[in-house]
């Protein structure tokens, strides 16, 4: 059974049948593209299987046929009891997880450096967040994950919390002791929800960390398109155990996902699972060999530093080998500058922060890819004469998050607050220069992007440290999503405090 992709097979079978289409979509399986040669070349094949819920194609929101079979095969592959296909990325999964668990004013324990979609889920639910501050890696200044003891402290202090939601791994591949945290959450009879967007490949090789499901998590979302071979926006949501109301999850997925889901996206999930089931181990071995080759090449360029997990490291317990974080150890080039130099040479990194560039290798990276980026790094080094520079002994850790309390008070995250802001009702909002806003309460979410992790939430006080951090990020070219902060160095605050 594992050596087939039933949904993809059904779509291609229908295409070969040359059946008449008197239904949506309007392009009639790509027929509308034939007038433009270039457009036809790129889009014809994918649109030839772009169908809708006709007989035999099944229905994502009520699967009984090939979609159900494809989801069951995915559940078996990833170790879940039930799996849902997502066509809105892990964002849709995070929103549904929270909606299914939380009602208005419920408390959810959340690590502070979560993706913005988690915050949006809390806002839509009208729930309150108790934030656990992550440990910061002292070598890189990157916010990693939370400690098991901090999760237990939160559960003791807030016994009415509906559950715990954590991210593992983070954007940089840093992981936490998820197995121990799952045991703690279950000891308090709380479900553990995990945003595993960057870990869909976990658990399929001895040199990779265990998956969140294998560690005992109850509800897990994965961006199958990030590290595996599904199309962009394709993701999966997995559940196991009896701590989650599966009917509620299904209901909210039906609300949050399109009633006309993309069949090419769903078929790509089917194919990604098929690839992992039938050839995953070999492909992972191949990808890891490419990463090793890159590391061996970089030994000849000591002017660059690569993030390496140390056994005594306390901020995180594992590091995804496919995520390679590099920096200019001389301090000459910021992360955005190094990324720009790579981009003008034809290499596009996953992200850059103030100091680092993140290179994302996958199962399908090649030795040629590794050698090309290595050659580009040599060119950049020669251009800036990095090898002749002294290694900086005190590179500012401006990646660090502000020194929040280890455990926050419950913070209300409600769409009604945003409605007040947009309509300038009470509480009234005004704009201030960032350094003039110290002591005021933020009226917006401040999100450096990438990686899309908020450093301020509406209603939180702006400290001198936070203001200084924002100014440093702006000076280093970091962008902010959904905000004019970066362009004008101003921030919206509530008048009269919180």
């Amino acid at each position: 059974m594992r050596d087939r992709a039933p949904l993809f097979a059904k779509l291609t079978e229908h295409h070969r049948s040359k059946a008449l289409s008197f239904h949506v979509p309007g392009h009639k399986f790509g027929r509308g593209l034939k007038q433009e040669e270039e457009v036809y070349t790129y889009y014809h094949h994918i649109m030839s299987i772009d169908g809708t819920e006709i007989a035999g194609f099944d229905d994502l929101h009520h699967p009984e046929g090939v979609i159900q079979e494809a989801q069951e095969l995915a559940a078996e592959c990833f170790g879940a009891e039930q799996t849902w296909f997502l066509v809105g990325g892990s964002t849709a999964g995070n929103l549904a997880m929270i909606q299914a668990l939380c009602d208005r004013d419920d408390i959810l324990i959340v690590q502070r450096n979560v993706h913005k979609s988690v915050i949006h889920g809390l806002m839509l639910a009208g729930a309150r967040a108790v934030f656990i501050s992550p440990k910061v890696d002292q070598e890189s200044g990157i916010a990693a994950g939370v400690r098991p003891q901090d999760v237990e402290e939160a559960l003791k202090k807030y016994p009415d919390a509906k559950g715990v939601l954590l991210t593992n791994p983070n954007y940089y591949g840093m992981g936490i002791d998820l197995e121990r945290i799952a045991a703690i959450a279950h000891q308090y009879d709380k479900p553990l929800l995990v945003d595993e967007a960057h870990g869909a490949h976990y658990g399929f090789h001895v040199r990779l960390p265990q998956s969140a499901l294998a560690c005992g998590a109850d509800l897990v979302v994965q961006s199958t398109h990030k590290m595996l071979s599904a199309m962009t926006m394709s993701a999966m949501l997995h559940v196991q155990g009896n701590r989650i109301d599966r009917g509620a999850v299904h209901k909210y997925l039906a609300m949050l996902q399109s009633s006309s889901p993309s069949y090419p996206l769903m078929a790509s999930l089917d194919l990604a699972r098929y690839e992992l089931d039938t050839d995953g181990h070999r492909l992972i071995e191949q990808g890891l060999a490419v990463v090793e080759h890159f590391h061996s090449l970089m030994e000849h360029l000591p002017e660059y530093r690569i993030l390496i997990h140390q056994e005594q490291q306390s901020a995180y317990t594992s590091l995804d080998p496919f995520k390679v974080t590099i920096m200019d150890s001389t301090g000459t080039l910021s992360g955005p500058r190094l990324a720009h130099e790579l981009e003008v040479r034809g290499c596009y990194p996953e992200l850059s922060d103030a100091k680092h560039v993140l290179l994302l290798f996958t199962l399908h990276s090649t030795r040629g890819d590794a050698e090309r980026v290595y050659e580009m790094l040599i060119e950049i080094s020669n251009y800036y004469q990095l090898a002749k520079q002294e290694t900086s002994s005190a590179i500012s850790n401006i990646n660090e998050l502000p020194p929040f309390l280890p455990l926050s008070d419950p913070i209300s995250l409600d769409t009604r607050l945003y409605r007040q802001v947009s309509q300038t009702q009470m509480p009234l909002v005004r704009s201030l220069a960032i350094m003039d806003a110290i002591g005021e309460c933020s009226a917006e979410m401040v999100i450096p992007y990438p990686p899309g992790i908020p450093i301020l939430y509406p209603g939180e006080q702006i400290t001198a440290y936070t203001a200084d951090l924002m100014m440093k990020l702006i000076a280093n070219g970091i962008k902010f999503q959904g905000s004019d902060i970066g362009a004008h160095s101003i921030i919206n605050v509530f008048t009269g405090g919180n």
Side-chain angles (χ1 to χ4, degrees):
M1 288 290 291
R2 291 187 172 191
D3 61 349
R4 63 187 301 264
L7 177 54
F8 176 72
K10 185 65 180 179
L11 297 179
T12 54
E13 175 191 332
H14 185 81
H15 171 66
R16 288 192 298 269
S17 75
K18 301 187 183 302
L20 291 175
S21 169
F22 283 90
H23 54 78
V24 298
H27 59 73
K28 301 298 182 184
F29 292 106
R31 186 186 302 167
L33 296 173
K34 293 185 178 181
Q35 301 303 313
E36 297 288 341
E37 183 177 351
E38 186 174 16
V39 175
Y40 179 84
T41 299
Y42 282 104
Y43 274 91
H44 171 68
H45 292 294
I46 196 67
M47 294 181 81
S48 69
I49 59 170
D50 182 26
T52 189
E53 292 88 350
I54 60 175
F57 275 26
D58 208 359
D59 181 350
L60 177 64
H61 300 296
H62 188 71
E64 298 176 309
V66 288
I67 294 177
Q68 179 181 9
E69 184 182 356
Q71 291 185 151
E72 288 173 351
L73 285 168
E76 183 179 1
C77 176
F78 290 95
E81 292 177 4
Q82 184 175 353
T83 292
W84 292 272
F85 282 179
L86 307 177
V87 292
S90 284
T91 291
N94 281 330
L95 296 177
M97 287 200 301
I98 296 168
Q99 300 295 310
L101 190 65
C102 296
D103 291 322
R104 187 167 300 282
D105 293 326
D106 281 344
I107 288 176
L108 185 65
I109 296 169
V110 182
Q111 75 180 69
R112 185 170 190 95
N113 57 328
V114 289
H115 190 264
K116 62 178 181 174
S117 61
V118 172
I119 304 304
H120 292 159
L122 289 163
M123 292 170 62
L124 290 173
R128 294 178 292 161
V130 168
F131 289 114
I132 304 175
S133 290
K135 295 286 289 181
V136 174
D137 173 39
Q138 294 305 306
E139 177 188 351
S140 64
I142 295 172
V146 300
R147 301 178 302 175
Q149 57 264 42
D150 293 331
V151 174
E152 185 161 22
E153 179 186 348
L155 288 167
K156 285 180 179 178
K157 189 172 181 180
Y158 298 99
D160 294 332
K162 302 295 286 188
V164 178
L165 194 157
L166 304 177
T167 299
N168 190 71
N170 72 357
Y171 223 122
Y172 299 85
M174 297 170 170
I176 56 180
D177 189 351
L178 207 57
E179 188 170 2
R180 186 176 163 201
I181 291 173
I184 291 169
H186 296 164
Q187 178 184 338
Y188 287 83
D189 197 27
K190 306 295 182 183
L192 174 62
L193 284 57
V194 178
D195 178 355
E196 197 177 37
H198 290 266
H201 59 310
Y202 275 20
F204 289 95
H205 194 281
V206 294
R207 292 173 56 192
L208 296 177
Q210 282 296 307
S211 70
L213 287 167
C215 290
D218 300 274
L219 196 56
V220 179
V221 64
Q222 296 175 334
S223 288
T224 322
H225 70 91
K226 281 185 165 67
M227 298 302 295
L228 299 178
S229 56
M231 292 174 65
T232 299
M233 290 182 65
S234 303
M236 296 187 191
L237 182 60
H238 308 289
V239 67
Q240 65 180 351
N242 57 10
R243 295 181 181 87
I244 299 296
D245 183 344
R246 301 185 192 186
V249 174
H250 184 83
K251 177 182 74 174
Y252 282 106
L253 283 175
M255 293 180 184
L256 293 163
Q257 299 209 93
S258 171
S259 60
S260 301
S262 164
Y263 275 82
L265 292 184
M266 290 188 289
S268 78
L269 287 169
D270 195 19
L271 289 171
R273 186 276 316 158
Y274 167 78
E275 178 182 74
L276 202 57
D277 255 342
T278 59
D279 201 22
H281 189 272
R282 184 190 67 82
L283 289 171
I284 292 172
E285 286 273 340
Q286 177 179 286
L288 290 172
V290 171
V291 176
E292 289 176 349
H293 180 54
F294 180 71
H295 277 276
S296 68
L297 292 173
M298 291 300 293
E299 290 177 0
H300 302 290
L301 298 178
E303 58 268 36
Y304 298 103
R305 183 184 305 166
I306 294 181
L307 182 66
I308 302 294
H309 179 242
Q310 307 294 334
E311 290 300 324
Q312 67 272 20
Q313 173 59 250
S314 61
Y316 58 101
T317 60
S318 63
L319 185 64
D320 182 356
F322 285 107
K323 297 290 186 73
V324 179
T325 302
I326 65 174
M327 65 176 290
D328 167 17
S329 62
T330 72
T332 304
L333 300 176
S334 67
R337 170 51 60 180
L338 179 56
H340 173 74
E341 293 294 340
L342 287 169
E343 288 165 359
V344 297
R345 289 167 172 81
C347 171
Y348 293 84
E350 171 67 11
L351 69 81
S352 64
D353 61 33
K355 295 189 301 179
H356 307 95
V357 166
L358 176 62
L359 301 178
L360 188 153
F361 290 78
T362 73
L363 285 60
H364 298 287
S365 298
T366 68
R367 286 175 65 93
D369 296 337
E371 289 165 0
R372 283 186 63 195
V373 70
Y374 169 68
E375 291 166 0
M376 293 175 188
L377 289 167
I378 292 175
E379 287 183 15
I380 296 167
S381 176
N382 291 339
Y383 183 80
Y384 287 96
Q385 297 186 323
L386 299 182
K388 297 180 180 180
Q389 308 292 328
E390 292 186 8
T391 300
S392 175
S393 59
I395 301 173
S396 173
N397 281 341
I398 65 171
N399 272 0
E400 291 187 24
L401 295 184
F404 304 112
L405 294 174
L407 196 64
S408 77
D409 292 329
I411 297 174
S412 180
L413 296 163
D414 196 324
T415 53
R416 291 177 297 184
L417 180 63
Y418 267 56
R419 198 174 303 122
Q420 290 172 327
V421 172
S422 64
Q423 296 174 354
T424 63
Q425 297 173 348
M426 288 299 293
L428 293 177
V429 172
R430 59 178 176 156
S431 298
L432 292 176
I434 288 174
M435 299 309 294
D436 293 336
I438 295 172
E440 303 288 344
C441 289
S442 175
E444 60 181 304
M445 187 155 43
V446 178
I447 312 169
Y449 193 87
I453 298 169
I455 60 173
L456 264 181
Y457 297 109
E460 280 200 295
Q461 189 177 61
I462 301 166
T463 66
Y465 192 103
T466 311
D468 185 58
L469 173 68
M470 286 188 284
M471 294 303 293
K472 287 179 178 177
L473 291 171
I474 291 168
N476 278 273
I478 302 300
K479 306 298 182 183
F480 294 81
Q481 268 203 344
S483 172
D484 290 330
I485 286 177
H488 306 293
S489 298
I490 60 172
I491 186 169
N492 293 320
V493 300
F494 292 123
T495 58
N498 189 357

